[in-house]
């Protein structure tokens, strides 16, 4: 209240006191006259208060305040201006929200807001087209009830959203969607869904092309290798000048065959998400046979290969795929470590899951190569590739097999000292026997 209004109130009071004094003078009842005067003043205030209350309760958006007298008039006006200002601010905010909603609604990518339990809060039009969400029926529904693919459920529940997920659309099988989830605020989720059908088709064409070429090359190569073998079997009939050439042809032919086999295996691994087989595999026996093969590969290079396994711990998955992944790691240890060195193969389980590791004391790998090691044809030292006879696809195969078994590959290595390749399997892939 500014001093003006304070003065006005004081004047009112003074006037009432004066009037009461006069009335008292006339009637001789000063006390009653004062009570009467103040009572009238109080009733007037209560009346103004009720008018204010009535106006606040029943007012429409643009209703002007009731006419007020004196201080009450000022109060009515102030409230009215405050409300008008509040309305303007709200209007501006609503306009911003409308614009954001309009622009996200117009996006071709789906945007979905989920609460901290994964229930739908808001989505744009593209989400209706790509995921088949229905407005408003689906509001409050759990996203895993609407996108029912088992891989989505697993991905959402695991809560590791660093990598995107690619899935067929629940609306149309031929459409391929890429999903990206980000957490924000109070553990709410923001989900982006993109149509990547065209990219997927191109990728598929690339895979099919490689698989077809590999397949078509296999037959002629088998014929050539067969003839070379026959020629070399009858080495006494061969002109000695050709002998070395034929031997090299056979060696390179075998390399090409290995390469084609690896390419075909990779194409097969990429064709489906998970292995069709999910039987418990006796890892101890599998590793024993891989160890024997590795010893044979080592031959007179005399590697000392040790094996420590938990025979009670089995692994659910495809034996053939696990054999190729594990043997790639063990054979690499033989290939990339010096004669007479030690190689340690281990299979064990703990609270974190199952672990298979191969440790060698070989040439090791510099840290800068580690992130790219599982790429196809990535080699640390390409000049070494021909001498080891590797295809450059071994670790790519390992990575794919592990992905299909929900596992991951960890590599630690010190150049000149040796490396450890560890496959980490989650509990759900294990079968523990007592
Ligand atoms: P390759 O057929 O050439 O062995 P891989 O995919 O199996 O292909 O391995 C990729 C590269 O990783 C190899 O060329 C090699 O340089 C490196 N590498 C793999 N395993 C080891 C190891 N145990 N020690 C050192 N280097 C390794």
């Amino acid at each position: 209240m500014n001093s003006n209004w304070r003065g006005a109130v004081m004047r009112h009071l003074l006037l009432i006191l004066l009037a009461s004094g006069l009335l008292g003078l006339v009637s001789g009842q000063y006390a009653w006259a004062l009570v009467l005067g103040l009572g009238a003043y109080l009733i007037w205030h209560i009346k103004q208060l009720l008018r204010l209350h009535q106006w606040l309760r029943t007012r429409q958006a643009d209703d002007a305040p009731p006419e007020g007298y004196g201080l009450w008039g000022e109060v009515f006006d102030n409230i009215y201006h405050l409300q008008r200002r509040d309305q303007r601010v709200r209007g501006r905010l609503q306009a911003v929200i409308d614009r954001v909603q309009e622009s996200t609604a117009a996006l071709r990518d789906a945007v979905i807001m989920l609460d901290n339990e994964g229930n739908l809060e808001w989505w744009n039009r593209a989400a209706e087209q790509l995921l088949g969400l229905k407005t408003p029926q689906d509001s409050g529904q759990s996203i895993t009830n609407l996108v029912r693919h088992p891989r989505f459920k697993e991905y959402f529940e695991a809560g590791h959203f660093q990598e995107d997920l690619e899935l067929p659309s629940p609306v149309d099988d031929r459409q391929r969607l890429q999903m990206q989830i980000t957490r924000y605020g109070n553990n709410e989720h923001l989900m982006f869904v993109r149509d990547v059908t065209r990219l997927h088709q191109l990728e598929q064409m690339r895979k099919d092309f490689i698989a077809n070429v590999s397949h078509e090359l296999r037959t002629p190569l088998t014929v050539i290798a067969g003839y070379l073998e026959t020629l070399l079997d009858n080495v006494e009939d061969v002109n000695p000048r050709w002998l070395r050439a034929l031997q090299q042809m056979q060696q390179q032919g075998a390399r090409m065959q290995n390469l084609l086999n690896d390419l075909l295996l990779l194409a097969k691994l990429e064709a489906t998400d998970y292995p069709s087989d999910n039987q418990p595999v006796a890892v101890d026996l599998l590793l024993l046979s891989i160890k024997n093969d590795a010893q044979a590969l080592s031959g007179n290079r005399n590697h000392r290969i040790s094996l420590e396994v938990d025979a009670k711990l089995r692994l659910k998955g495809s034996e053939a795929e696990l054999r190729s992944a594990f043997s790639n790691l063990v054979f690499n240890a033989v290939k990339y470590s010096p004669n007479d060195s030690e190689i340690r193969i281990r299979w064990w389980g703990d609270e974190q899951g199952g672990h298979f590791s191969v440790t060698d004391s070989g040439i090791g790998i510099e840290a800068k190569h580690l992130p790219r090691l599982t790429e196809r044809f990535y080699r640390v030292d390409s000049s070494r590739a021909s001498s080891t006879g590797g295809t450059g696809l071994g670790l790519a195969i390992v990575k794919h097999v592990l992905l299909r078994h929900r596992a991951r590959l960890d590599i630690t290595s010190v150049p000149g000292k040796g490396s450890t390749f560890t496959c980490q399997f989650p509990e759900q892939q294990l079968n523990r026997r007592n």
Side-chain angles (χ1 to χ4, degrees):
M1 195 193 308
N2 60 29
S3 52
N4 251 351
W5 287 105
R6 196 176 300 138
V9 171
M10 294 310 279
R11 266 199 307 280
H12 280 166
L13 272 174
L14 219 64
L15 252 156
I16 286 173
L17 286 177
L18 255 172
S20 306
L22 268 174
L23 196 67
L25 197 70
V26 175
S27 63
Q29 302 277 342
Y30 282 101
W32 281 114
L34 193 63
V35 168
L36 204 70
L38 287 177
Y41 191 48
L42 188 66
I43 288 171
W44 180 75
H45 274 299
I46 291 176
K47 215 174 130 200
Q48 300 303 318
L49 196 64
L50 284 174
R51 284 178 70 211
L52 173 66
H53 177 64
Q54 178 74 10
W55 173 65
L56 285 177
R57 232 169 40 137
T58 56
R59 70 181 275 277
Q60 303 287 322
D62 280 331
D63 274 0
E67 273 303 310
Y69 315 101
L71 182 62
W72 281 103
E74 178 89 355
V75 170
F76 289 163
D77 282 348
N78 281 345
I79 292 180
Y80 180 66
H81 288 307
L82 274 178
Q83 280 181 335
R84 287 297 294 257
R85 202 165 61 196
D86 186 46
Q87 253 169 21
R88 274 200 300 274
V89 171
R90 261 198 280 170
R92 272 204 297 273
L93 272 178
Q94 190 58 47
V96 173
I97 292 175
D98 287 349
R99 276 185 70 79
V100 171
Q101 285 203 342
E102 263 169 40
S103 53
T104 37
L107 277 179
R108 269 186 294 165
D109 297 344
V111 184
I112 301 144
M113 286 165 88
L114 306 166
D115 66 11
N116 53 5
E117 284 170 13
N119 301 324
L120 294 180
E121 281 187 334
W122 181 88
W123 57 92
N124 65 354
R125 265 198 304 277
E128 293 172 17
Q129 286 148 13
L130 294 177
L131 295 177
L133 303 185
K134 290 188 196 72
T135 316
Q137 299 95 302
D138 288 339
S139 184
Q141 288 257 26
S142 166
I143 184 77
T144 46
N145 281 346
L146 299 165
V147 184
R148 300 191 78 97
H149 200 288
R151 277 194 59 201
F152 180 77
K153 196 167 173 358
E154 207 173 282
Y155 175 75
F156 194 79
E157 280 167 6
H160 307 304
F161 303 130
Q162 293 88 340
E163 292 201 6
D164 303 347
L165 178 70
E166 230 188 273
L167 285 181
S169 157
V171 184
D172 178 359
D173 260 3
R174 289 162 303 174
Q175 212 175 18
R176 196 82 185 169
L177 303 180
Q178 187 185 52
M179 316 202 170
Q180 201 177 45
I181 297 181
T182 317
R183 281 209 188 88
Y184 72 99
N186 193 13
N187 205 19
E188 284 112 328
H189 302 76
L190 189 62
M191 183 168 152
F192 288 100
V193 183
R194 258 221 250 136
D195 182 353
V196 288
T197 312
R198 218 182 125 54
L199 260 177
H200 182 73
Q201 277 167 349
L202 286 172
E203 179 83 347
Q204 198 56 42
M205 268 165 65
R206 178 189 67 77
K207 286 180 192 163
D208 289 349
F209 176 74
I210 294 176
N212 290 340
V213 169
S214 312
H215 195 75
E216 292 302 323
L217 283 177
R218 213 146 70 150
T219 317
L221 202 61
T222 313
V223 174
I224 295 170
Y227 278 122
L228 283 171
E229 200 175 324
T230 321
L231 278 173
L232 285 167
D233 277 350
N234 303 301
V235 80
E236 55 286 355
D237 303 337
V238 177
N239 184 337
R241 278 200 305 170
W242 289 103
L243 188 62
R244 209 177 126 61
L246 287 174
Q247 278 169 341
Q248 278 203 349
M249 281 159 81
Q250 193 186 35
Q251 226 177 37
Q252 296 301 324
R255 261 190 86 186
M256 275 171 81
Q257 270 176 326
N258 285 341
L259 186 62
L260 292 183
N261 288 341
D262 278 359
L263 280 172
L264 280 169
L265 177 59
L266 259 178
K268 212 176 96 192
L269 292 175
E270 281 178 333
T272 54
D273 285 341
Y274 291 122
S276 47
D277 234 3
N278 207 18
Q279 296 300 319
V281 176
V283 181
D284 52 334
L285 300 180
L286 176 66
L287 291 181
L288 192 64
S289 98
I290 292 177
K291 182 197 161 196
N292 291 336
D293 293 347
Q295 205 71 67
L297 177 72
S298 167
N300 52 13
R301 293 180 61 209
N302 265 336
H303 291 95
R304 277 167 287 132
I305 306 178
S306 68
L307 181 63
E308 298 157 44
V309 290
D310 177 351
K312 289 189 183 130
L313 189 62
R314 295 185 162 204
L315 187 55
K316 284 186 255 176
S318 148
E319 175 158 359
E321 289 182 17
L322 291 171
R323 176 184 289 276
S324 79
F326 292 169
S327 57
N328 263 311
L329 293 177
V330 176
F331 295 168
N332 273 353
V334 173
K335 282 194 287 183
Y336 299 107
S337 44
N339 298 356
D340 302 312
S341 63
E342 255 181 68
I343 293 169
R344 191 169 172 216
I345 307 172
R346 296 205 302 149
W347 166 243
W348 77 102
D350 57 23
E351 327 56 88
Q352 269 111 48
H355 317 272
F356 164 79
S357 80
V358 185
T359 306
D360 63 52
S361 34
I363 57 172
I365 307 155
E366 274 184 73
K368 66 174 183 197
H369 297 293
L370 294 182
R372 300 195 55 194
L373 219 53
T374 53
E375 285 175 19
R376 282 154 215 234
F377 299 114
Y378 187 82
R379 289 197 177 94
V380 173
D381 179 358
S382 49
S383 62
R384 203 188 293 269
S386 51
S387 65
T388 59
T391 60
L393 294 172
L395 291 180
I397 291 175
V398 173
K399 183 179 128 183
H400 271 89
V401 170
L402 293 188
L403 263 180
R404 289 157 64 80
H405 289 79
R406 301 184 173 87
R408 60 164 214 274
L409 179 67
D410 284 348
I411 310 171
T412 52
S413 188
V414 182
K417 288 241 157 53
S419 326
T420 300
F421 288 75
T422 314
C423 309
Q424 320 271 18
F425 293 89
E427 191 62 39
Q428 69 188 116
Q429 292 296 121
L430 301 180
N431 182 312
R432 296 175 196 260
R433 294 190 310 165
N434 296 314

